[in-house]
Coordinates of all heavy atoms in Angstrom, one line a residue:
N17 N -8.9 4.7 -14.0 CA -10.3 4.3 -14.4 C -11.1 4.3 -13.1 O -11.4 3.3 -12.5 CB -10.3 2.9 -15.0 CG -11.7 2.6 -15.6 OD1 -12.6 3.4 -15.6 ND2 -11.9 1.3 -16.0
P18 N -11.5 5.5 -12.6 CA -12.0 5.7 -11.3 C -13.5 5.4 -11.1 O -14.0 5.8 -10.0 CB -11.7 7.2 -11.0 CG -11.9 7.8 -12.4 CD -11.4 6.8 -13.3
R19 N -14.1 4.7 -11.9 CA -15.5 4.2 -11.6 C -15.5 2.7 -11.5 O -15.1 2.0 -12.4 CB -16.5 4.6 -12.7 CG -17.9 4.4 -12.3 CD -18.9 4.8 -13.4 NE -18.8 4.0 -14.6 CZ -19.3 2.8 -14.7 NH1 -20.0 2.2 -13.7 NH2 -19.2 2.1 -15.8
P20 N -15.8 2.2 -10.3 CA -16.4 2.9 -9.2 C -15.3 3.6 -8.4 O -14.1 3.2 -8.4 CB -17.0 1.8 -8.3 CG -16.1 0.6 -8.6 CD -15.8 0.7 -10.1
Y21 N -15.6 4.7 -7.7 CA -14.8 5.4 -6.8 C -14.7 4.5 -5.6 O -15.7 4.2 -5.0 CB -15.3 6.8 -6.5 CG -14.4 7.7 -5.7 CD1 -13.7 8.6 -6.4 CD2 -14.3 7.7 -4.4 CE1 -12.8 9.5 -5.8 CE2 -13.5 8.5 -3.7 CZ -12.7 9.4 -4.4 OH -11.9 10.3 -3.7
V22 N -13.4 4.2 -5.1 CA -13.2 3.3 -4.1 C -12.6 3.9 -2.8 O -11.6 4.7 -2.9 CB -12.3 2.1 -4.5 CG1 -12.0 1.1 -3.4 CG2 -12.9 1.4 -5.7
W23 N -13.2 3.7 -1.7 CA -12.6 4.1 -0.4 C -12.2 2.8 0.3 O -13.0 1.9 0.6 CB -13.7 4.8 0.5 CG -14.1 6.1 0.1 CD1 -13.4 7.3 0.3 CD2 -15.3 6.5 -0.5 NE1 -14.1 8.4 -0.2 CE2 -15.3 7.9 -0.7 CE3 -16.4 5.8 -0.9 CZ2 -16.3 8.7 -1.3 CZ3 -17.5 6.6 -1.5 CH2 -17.4 7.9 -1.7
I24 N -10.9 2.7 0.7 CA -10.4 1.7 1.6 C -10.1 2.4 2.9 O -9.4 3.4 3.0 CB -9.1 1.1 1.1 CG1 -9.3 0.5 -0.3 CG2 -8.5 0.0 2.0 CD1 -10.3 -0.6 -0.4
N25 N -10.7 1.8 4.0 CA -10.7 2.5 5.3 C -9.8 1.8 6.3 O -9.9 0.6 6.5 CB -12.2 2.5 5.8 CG -13.2 3.1 4.9 OD1 -13.6 4.3 5.1 ND2 -13.6 2.4 3.9
A26 N -9.0 2.6 7.0 CA -8.2 2.2 8.1 C -8.4 3.1 9.2 O -9.3 4.0 9.1 CB -6.7 2.1 7.7
T27 N -7.8 2.9 10.4 CA -7.9 3.7 11.5 C -6.5 4.4 11.9 O -5.6 3.6 12.1 CB -8.4 3.0 12.7 OG1 -9.7 2.5 12.5 CG2 -8.5 3.8 14.0
D28 N -6.5 5.7 12.0 CA -5.3 6.4 12.5 C -5.4 6.3 14.0 O -6.3 6.9 14.7 CB -5.4 7.8 12.1 CG -4.3 8.7 12.8 OD1 -3.7 8.3 13.7 OD2 -4.2 9.9 12.4
I29 N -4.6 5.4 14.6 CA -4.8 5.1 16.1 C -4.3 6.2 17.0 O -4.6 6.2 18.2 CB -4.1 3.7 16.4 CG1 -2.6 3.7 16.1 CG2 -4.8 2.6 15.7 CD1 -1.9 2.5 16.5
Y30 N -3.4 7.1 16.5 CA -3.0 8.2 17.3 C -4.1 9.2 17.5 O -4.4 9.7 18.6 CB -1.7 8.9 16.7 CG -1.2 10.0 17.5 CD1 -0.3 9.7 18.6 CD2 -1.5 11.3 17.3 CE1 0.2 10.8 19.4 CE2 -1.0 12.4 18.0 CZ -0.2 12.1 19.1 OH 0.3 13.1 19.9
N31 N -4.7 9.6 16.3 CA -5.8 10.6 16.4 C -7.2 10.0 16.6 O -8.1 10.7 16.9 CB -5.8 11.4 15.1 CG -4.6 12.3 14.9 OD1 -4.4 13.2 15.6 ND2 -3.8 11.9 13.9
G32 N -7.3 8.7 16.5 CA -8.6 8.0 16.7 C -9.6 8.4 15.6 O -10.8 8.6 15.9
T33 N -9.1 8.5 14.4 CA -10.0 9.0 13.3 C -9.9 8.0 12.1 O -8.9 7.2 12.0 CB -9.6 10.4 12.8 OG1 -8.2 10.3 12.4 CG2 -9.8 11.4 13.9
P34 N -10.8 8.0 11.2 CA -10.7 7.2 10.0 C -9.5 7.7 9.2 O -9.2 8.9 9.1 CB -12.0 7.5 9.2 CG -13.0 8.0 10.2 CD -12.1 8.8 11.2
F35 N -8.9 6.8 8.5 CA -7.9 7.1 7.5 C -8.3 6.5 6.2 O -8.6 5.3 6.1 CB -6.5 6.6 7.9 CG -5.4 7.0 6.9 CD1 -4.7 8.1 7.1 CD2 -5.2 6.2 5.7 CE1 -3.7 8.5 6.2 CE2 -4.2 6.6 4.8 CZ -3.5 7.7 5.0
L36 N -8.4 7.4 5.1 CA -8.9 7.0 3.9 C -7.8 6.9 2.8 O -7.1 7.9 2.6 CB -10.0 7.9 3.4 CG -11.1 8.2 4.5 CD1 -11.9 9.4 4.1 CD2 -11.9 7.0 4.7
F37 N -7.8 5.8 2.1 CA -6.8 5.6 1.0 C -7.4 6.3 -0.3 O -7.8 5.6 -1.2 CB -6.4 4.2 0.8 CG -5.5 3.7 1.9 CD1 -6.0 3.1 3.1 CD2 -4.1 3.8 1.8 CE1 -5.2 2.7 4.1 CE2 -3.3 3.3 2.8 CZ -3.8 2.8 3.9
V38 N -7.4 7.6 -0.3 CA -7.9 8.3 -1.4 C -6.9 9.5 -1.6 O -6.2 9.9 -0.7 CB -9.3 8.9 -1.2 CG1 -10.3 7.7 -1.1 CG2 -9.4 9.7 0.1
R39 N -7.0 10.1 -2.8 CA -6.0 11.2 -3.1 C -6.1 12.4 -2.2 O -5.0 12.9 -1.8 CB -6.3 11.6 -4.6 CG -5.2 12.5 -5.2 CD -5.2 12.5 -6.7 NE -6.5 12.3 -7.3 CZ -6.7 11.9 -8.5 NH1 -5.7 11.6 -9.3 NH2 -7.9 11.7 -9.0
P40 N -7.3 12.9 -1.8 CA -7.2 14.0 -0.8 C -6.5 13.7 0.5 O -5.8 14.6 1.0 CB -8.7 14.2 -0.6 CG -9.4 13.7 -1.8 CD -8.6 12.5 -2.2
Q41 N -6.6 12.5 1.0 CA -6.0 12.1 2.2 C -4.4 12.1 2.0 O -3.7 12.7 2.8 CB -6.4 10.7 2.7 CG -5.8 10.3 4.0 CD -6.5 10.8 5.2 OE1 -7.5 10.2 5.6 NE2 -6.1 11.9 5.8
F42 N -4.0 11.5 1.0 CA -2.5 11.4 0.7 C -1.9 12.8 0.4 O -0.8 13.1 0.8 CB -2.2 10.4 -0.4 CG -1.9 9.0 0.1 CD1 -2.9 8.3 0.9 CD2 -0.7 8.4 -0.1 CE1 -2.6 7.1 1.4 CE2 -0.4 7.2 0.4 CZ -1.4 6.5 1.2
S43 N -2.7 13.6 -0.4 CA -2.2 14.9 -0.7 C -2.1 15.8 0.6 O -1.2 16.6 0.6 CB -3.2 15.6 -1.6 OG -3.3 15.0 -2.9
G44 N -2.8 15.4 1.6 CA -2.8 16.2 2.9 C -1.4 16.1 3.5 O -1.0 17.0 4.3
F45 N -0.7 15.0 3.3 CA 0.7 14.9 3.9 C 1.7 14.7 2.8 O 2.8 14.2 3.0 CB 0.8 13.8 4.9 CG 0.4 12.4 4.5 CD1 1.3 11.5 4.1 CD2 -0.9 12.0 4.6 CE1 0.9 10.2 3.7 CE2 -1.3 10.7 4.3 CZ -0.4 9.8 3.8
C46 N 1.4 15.3 1.6 CA 2.4 15.4 0.5 C 2.9 14.1 0.0 O 4.1 13.9 -0.2 CB 3.5 16.4 0.9 SG 2.9 18.0 1.5
S47 N 2.1 13.1 0.0 CA 2.5 11.7 -0.4 C 1.8 11.3 -1.7 O 0.8 11.9 -2.1 CB 2.2 10.7 0.7 OG 2.8 9.4 0.3
N48 N 2.4 10.4 -2.4 CA 1.9 10.0 -3.8 C 1.1 8.7 -3.6 O 1.6 7.6 -3.5 CB 3.1 9.7 -4.7 CG 2.7 9.5 -6.1 OD1 1.6 9.2 -6.4 ND2 3.7 9.5 -7.0
L49 N -0.2 8.8 -3.7 CA -1.1 7.7 -3.6 C -0.9 6.8 -4.8 O -1.0 5.5 -4.7 CB -2.6 8.1 -3.5 CG -3.6 7.0 -3.5 CD1 -3.5 6.1 -2.3 CD2 -5.0 7.6 -3.6
A50 N -0.7 7.3 -6.0 CA -0.7 6.5 -7.3 C 0.3 5.4 -7.2 O 0.1 4.3 -7.7 CB -0.4 7.4 -8.5
E51 N 1.4 5.6 -6.5 CA 2.5 4.5 -6.4 C 2.3 3.6 -5.2 O 3.1 2.7 -5.0 CB 3.8 5.2 -6.4 CG 4.1 5.9 -7.7 CD 5.6 6.4 -7.8 OE1 6.5 5.7 -7.5 OE2 5.8 7.6 -8.1
Y52 N 1.3 3.8 -4.4 CA 1.1 3.0 -3.2 C 0.4 1.7 -3.6 O -0.6 1.7 -4.3 CB 0.3 3.8 -2.2 CG 0.4 3.2 -0.8 CD1 1.6 3.3 -0.1 CD2 -0.7 2.5 -0.2 CE1 1.7 2.8 1.2 CE2 -0.6 1.9 1.0 CZ 0.6 2.1 1.7 OH 0.7 1.5 3.0
P53 N 0.9 0.5 -3.1 CA 0.3 -0.7 -3.5 C -1.1 -0.9 -2.9 O -1.4 -0.6 -1.7 CB 1.2 -1.8 -2.9 CG 2.5 -1.0 -2.6 CD 2.1 0.4 -2.3
I54 N -2.0 -1.4 -3.7 CA -3.4 -1.7 -3.2 C -3.3 -2.7 -2.1 O -4.1 -2.6 -1.1 CB -4.3 -2.2 -4.4 CG1 -4.5 -1.1 -5.4 CG2 -5.6 -2.6 -3.8 CD1 -5.2 -1.5 -6.7

């Protein structure tokens, strides 16, 4: 039920970039966001 669309933001400390708990980010390293605990 994706409304509202939610971004939870962390920091990738190796790359010094934002890390986003969204499907595109997890798909980028072939991981399953749906089963990850909020």
